[in-house]
Amino acid sequence: MKTGILKDLEKAFNISPDEMKRVIRDFHLEMEKGLSGKKSSLKMLPAYIDRPTGGEKGSFIALDLGGTNFRVLEIRLHGNGRIMMPAVMKFALRKQDITKDAGALFGFLASSVKTFLRKTAHGACRDVNLGFTFSFPIDQKGIASGSLVTWTKGFEAAGVIGHDVVSLLKCALAKEGLAHIHVTALANDTVGTLMARSYGDRSCDVGVIIGTGTNACYPEKMSKVKKWKGAAAPESEMIINIEWGNFNKLKKTLYDRQLDASTDNPGKQILEKMVSGMYLGEVARRVIADLGRRQLIFPGQAFRKIKAAGTVRSEDVSAIEGDGSASLSATGAVLRRCGVKSSSRAERALVKNVCAIVSRRAARISAAAMAAVITKMDQKLQRKHTIAVDGSVYEKHPGFSRNIEKALKEVLGSKAGKIKLVLSKDGSGKGAAIIAAVASK
Ligand code: GLC
């Protein structure tokens, strides 16, 4: 019986090599459309910056907003590919900070900067340049200006969509008496991650985040950015923020449809809802709750709690998959926290398999998207490529990176050897400083 259930789930969540190839083709078509300014699920947003030379120097403040925490960092660039991070502070974002309005959100950011300057005494009284990593789709008008296209990842503060986020930040800093902090750069976290790694590694040409949300960027030839209206040498390059989380040409299960319908942005961020940390636990929960509802697991138990959205987090999925104990006790602990009072070992093993099925699909979709970006730049894979990756799911989920590498081999064969994935921790903050350095040149 259990095997039958698993087989069905495996089939529903399977991304075969052929399916990956189909995804890559559709990804290329959507990329082209996005670059031409046509309607596409990929926004392909120009970032107004190319990769760094590695010689950029200086001391900067960087802000990193886009996940569960807001971070303020002091970054020093030494000009030989070396980056130091003498001070970092994390500020937890409360629901009201991210869901009320622009005044509350940017006020919180500015007061956190003030706390950082007071506590660390770095750059307190002198003029200092600041790079702002704002990890949402922004329609940039320049290196230090851009308006929010749409919120993602549960943020919904009113009065930000369509407004210049740099102006909002500058106003809030001025209100805190911090007018000597100059916001000179605005970047997406993927762009920061690519900048940070390529500062010391010329083969790095993709920045990827697989964390609360997921997305990627890469450098594109200006001749291919058909929607670009400004002046540019056709052979010059500019980094493009793909916003791949919104890619929508993917095979959906019933659980994906139900999850999507329950969000505040139905029909949007479809890939993100199958891949990123904000949703992985919820996909797994929906499968487990459905098996329970059909009495295929935990018969006779009410387990009301697990029927409620949000009870299983992506960290739980990681804990369950990493559970190497003979009795699967860590899995049992997660289930108890989710209201399942007792479970048999076979049931815990089934739950572990469900988690593996869900996260394996996430890794394979990520691999297909990565392969699409690389082959867009280098169709025959003639060069070496380093993909800089950051984000909690990639870093912490057991076997996630291995599953990506395995899938890349399945779809690209031996040529996958040309691709190297590297974890680039704190890339988004460091990268914002590099962009600030380029901008202040
Ligand atoms: C979401 C945002 C995107 C960001 C990603 C990772 O998809 O829309 O801009 O890069 O999350 O944080």
Side-chain angles (χ1 to χ4, degrees), residues 6 10 320-321 346 348-358:
L6 270 183
E10 262 159 16
I320 291 173
E321 273 190 75
R348 293 195 288 280
L350 180 61
V351 166
K352 187 172 171 180
N353 275 313
V354 167
C355 291
I357 288 171
V358 170

Side-chain angles (χ1 to χ4, degrees), residues 43 45 64-67 133-138 148 150-153 187-191 208-217 241-246 269 272 276 279 390:
K43 294 187 186 73
L45 303 166
D64 188 1
L65 176 76
T133 302
F134 184 78
S135 309
F136 300 94
I138 22 181
L148 176 65
T150 176
W151 280 123
T152 52
K153 300 177 282 194
N188 184 257
D189 51 354
T190 57
V191 180
V208 171
I209 302 285
I210 311 176
T212 307
T214 184
N215 185 18
C217 72
N241 165 14
I242 303 173
E243 284 293 324
W244 81 16
N246 196 48
Q269 301 297 103
E272 186 156 273
S276 81
Y279 304 97
D390 199 3

Side-chain angles (χ1 to χ4, degrees), residues 105-316:
L105 176 61
F106 287 86
F108 174 79
L109 304 191
S111 76
S112 307
V113 173
K114 196 166 190 176
T115 308
F116 174 86
L117 294 176
R118 205 175 46 233
K119 293 230 165 121
T120 61
H122 287 291
C125 303
R126 57 184 166 88
D127 281 30
V128 59
N129 288 337
L130 178 147
F132 182 24
T133 302
F134 184 78
S135 309
F136 300 94
I138 22 181
D139 187 7
Q140 288 196 226
K141 302 280 182 288
I143 187 107
S145 78
S147 54
L148 176 65
V149 180
T150 176
W151 280 123
T152 52
K153 300 177 282 194
F155 278 63
E156 47 191 42
V160 189
I161 294 177
H163 294 268
D164 181 7
V165 294
V166 172
S167 303
L168 290 170
L169 178 63
K170 280 183 179 164
C171 267
L173 287 171
K175 274 194 196 146
E176 289 286 351
L178 300 174
H180 60 291
I181 310 281
H182 308 289
V183 190
T184 52
L186 174 65
N188 184 257
D189 51 354
T190 57
V191 180
T193 301
L194 170 58
M195 296 296 280
R197 176 76 201 186
S198 54
Y199 187 60
D201 173 358
R202 286 307 292 168
S203 70
C204 179
D205 52 8
V206 188
V208 171
I209 302 285
I210 311 176
T212 307
T214 184
N215 185 18
C217 72
Y218 74 107
E220 183 59 280
K221 292 215 167 50
M222 288 312 291
S223 58
K224 298 198 172 149
V225 190
K226 300 256 159 47
K227 64 182 170 188
W228 183 256
K229 300 273 187 300
E235 281 310 297
S236 64
E237 289 182 342
M238 183 179 283
I239 298 174
I240 301 289
N241 165 14
I242 303 173
E243 284 293 324
W244 81 16
N246 196 48
F247 181 70
N248 62 7
K249 309 276 178 279
L250 293 165
K251 179 181 100 176
K252 294 193 211 87
T253 66
L254 174 69
Y255 308 108
D256 300 309
R257 286 203 194 89
Q258 289 171 345
L259 182 153
D260 180 40
S262 76
T263 59
D264 55 10
N265 56 352
K268 306 262 170 63
Q269 301 297 103
I270 297 299
L271 181 147
E272 186 156 273
K273 287 171 185 165
M274 296 181 178
V275 169
S276 81
M278 183 155 174
Y279 304 97
L280 269 189
E282 182 59 8
V283 179
R285 183 199 68 79
R286 282 181 180 268
V287 178
I288 299 163
D290 181 48
L291 297 180
R293 189 185 50 76
R294 289 155 61 201
Q295 298 279 307
L296 296 169
I297 195 170
F298 321 130
Q301 289 197 54
F303 68 94
R304 244 175 243 109
K305 221 170 154 192
I306 209 167
K307 289 194 189 137
T311 31
V312 180
R313 303 169 305 223
S314 76
E315 301 93 274
D316 297 328

